[in-house]
Amino acid sequence: MANGYPRAKYIGLPLQVPVWISYYTAWADKKGAVHFYNDIYGLDDVLYKQLSFPFSQLY
């Protein structure tokens, strides 16, 4: 991998292990304060466009 990151390595496991990957740009802490982070993948705009879709067009 570029820029000094570790190289990817294949590790075989005897059983399949489920892996969940989550990507959040906003998160509420235990006190309820919301923290915002940079959207490095540009997915917030995609999500916003999907949420802004007029549902009346579905029917």
Side-chain angles (χ1 to χ4, degrees):
M1 299 178 94
N3 300 327
Y5 289 105
R7 295 180 53 98
K9 182 177 181 180
Y10 174 79
I11 300 173
L13 299 175
L15 298 172
Q16 289 185 348
V17 177
V19 176
W20 297 83
I21 299 174
S22 300
Y23 177 73
Y24 298 98
T25 56
W27 189 267
D29 64 20
K30 291 180 181 180
K31 295 181 180 180
V34 179
H35 302 271
F36 295 93
Y37 304 95
N38 291 334
D39 179 22
I40 61 172
Y41 298 112
L43 298 176
D44 281 350
D45 189 46
V46 174
L47 177 62
Y48 176 76
K49 287 177 183 175
Q50 291 297 317
L51 292 175
S52 299
F53 183 81
F55 289 100
S56 61
Q57 291 184 9
L58 295 176
Y59 302 102

